[in-house]
Amino acid sequence: MARILAVGIATLDIINQVDVYPPEDSEVRALAQRRVRGGNATNSLVVLSQLGHDCAWAGVLVDEPDAAPILAELDRYRIDYSHCRRLARGKMPTSYILHSRATGSRSIVHYRDLPEYDLEHFRRIDLETFDWVHFEGRNPEETEGMLRHLRTQRPDLAVSIEIEKPRPGIERLFPHADLLLFARDYAWAQGYADAAALLRGVAAQAPERDLVCAWGEAGAWALDRDGGEHHSPAFVPPRLVDTLGAGDTFNAAVIDARLHGEDWSASLTRACRVAGAKCGREGLHGVN
Ligand code: ADP
Ligand code: FRU
């Protein structure tokens, strides 16, 4: 069991399940509705907790009613939120999600009007107790400050950063990570048509890092720090039920595999297996 800190967000996800994704300007009735905790960093922690790790979250929590289901779930998975920045006023970020029963796809409209987690709060964390720190790559300037601080305190600590979408200045974080976890949206925005091409392009900018890129139903690719290229196909479940959080599950399973000392080929296969199994069930409960 490792002690893992993740820096990133928690959201309230309002998930409407529909038969098929509706045409624009239509009116449809949802088949079911769920209001659950979401957000990349806390999604990954919920999976890591089920994989047996001791997890802590550093993010922003507002004292308002929408925080209740979020806190209840963090408690359920024994995720420590004592390092969070607590605000007396404001709203937790919300995502309005259309989940298509026909394809398992999830379309997300995310709304956020909240300050980001900051260096001032990160500095208060005792990093000595952690084996791994994972960052949801957001707010590059402040995050770079956290990474510099982390390296002065714990030069040896394993650090991963998720690079999900293009954000101005996000590339400045690359040199600070041991492991960079890319998503398709980032690759597309950089003009790459596939994961392997993105990883080769990034390796030129960030040498001596392990680089991973997930690519939905095509599986995932890695380019390790020694230049080795690896690929795992996806593991398609018998029925594609729900792809929300597949990438966050994949990232958690990569971290878990690396903590267990698996090589890159085995790590990718394991992460695709866990993420594929997640796509075969609703939500993140029972994913391990
Ligand atoms: P995100 O949730 O960030 O959009 P991806 O769609 O890239 O992430 O998926 C992450 C991982 O989840 C993939 O590498 C794959 O292993 C698994 N996965 C995603 N979609 C499917 C699918 N339709 N069938 C099986 N596995 C999937
Ligand atoms: C899934 C997810 C949702 C959340 C959204 C935030 O990866 O974390 O739970 O609403 O993305 O961007």
Side-chain angles (χ1 to χ4, degrees), residues 46-67:
V46 162
V47 175
L48 283 163
S49 164
Q50 293 179 88
L51 293 171
H53 299 289
D54 179 10
C55 296
W57 170 50
V60 183
L61 266 175
V62 188
D63 185 13
E64 60 106 352
D66 283 350

Side-chain angles (χ1 to χ4, degrees), residues 19-129:
D19 243 337
V20 291
Y21 187 82
E24 187 175 344
D25 206 23
S26 59
E27 183 182 327
V28 292
R29 181 175 287 218
L31 305 172
Q33 188 182 77
R34 293 187 294 137
R35 289 164 59 89
V36 294
R37 181 216 49 77
N40 295 13
T42 48
N43 280 345
S44 292
L45 287 175
V46 162
V47 175
L48 283 163
S49 164
Q50 293 179 88
L51 293 171
H53 299 289
D54 179 10
C55 296
W57 170 50
V60 183
L61 266 175
V62 188
D63 185 13
E64 60 106 352
D66 283 350
I70 295 171
L71 294 178
E73 199 177 78
L74 297 174
D75 286 334
R76 172 174 177 189
Y77 289 102
R78 299 171 313 282
I79 296 167
D80 172 8
Y81 46 87
S82 63
H83 307 297
C84 284
R85 176 177 180 185
R86 311 282 297 235
L87 299 177
R89 268 182 294 279
K91 287 296 290 174
M92 292 304 291
T94 46
S95 291
Y96 293 85
I97 299 173
L98 279 185
H99 169 198
S100 156
R101 203 176 266 187
T103 64
S105 78
R106 87 296 180 264
S107 306
I108 305 175
V109 178
H110 183 62
Y111 179 69
R112 176 188 177 88
D113 178 16
L114 193 67
E116 293 275 354
Y117 192 67
D118 59 4
L119 176 57
E120 189 191 323
H121 287 79
F122 186 78
R123 276 180 185 280
R124 297 179 195 163
I125 304 174
D126 177 6
L127 295 169
E128 282 306 318
T129 62

Side-chain angles (χ1 to χ4, degrees), residues 40 103 106 162 164 182-185 213-221 232-237 240 243-251 268 271-277 279:
N40 295 13
T103 64
R106 87 296 180 264
E162 178 192 29
E164 189 188 36
F182 293 93
R184 241 183 319 194
D185 278 356
C213 183
W215 209 269
E217 49 291 337
W221 278 257
S232 167
F235 290 81
V236 180
L240 203 54
T243 59
L244 181 65
D248 309 327
T249 302
F250 172 86
N251 291 346
L268 277 191
C272 285
R273 261 189 213 287
V274 176
C279 295

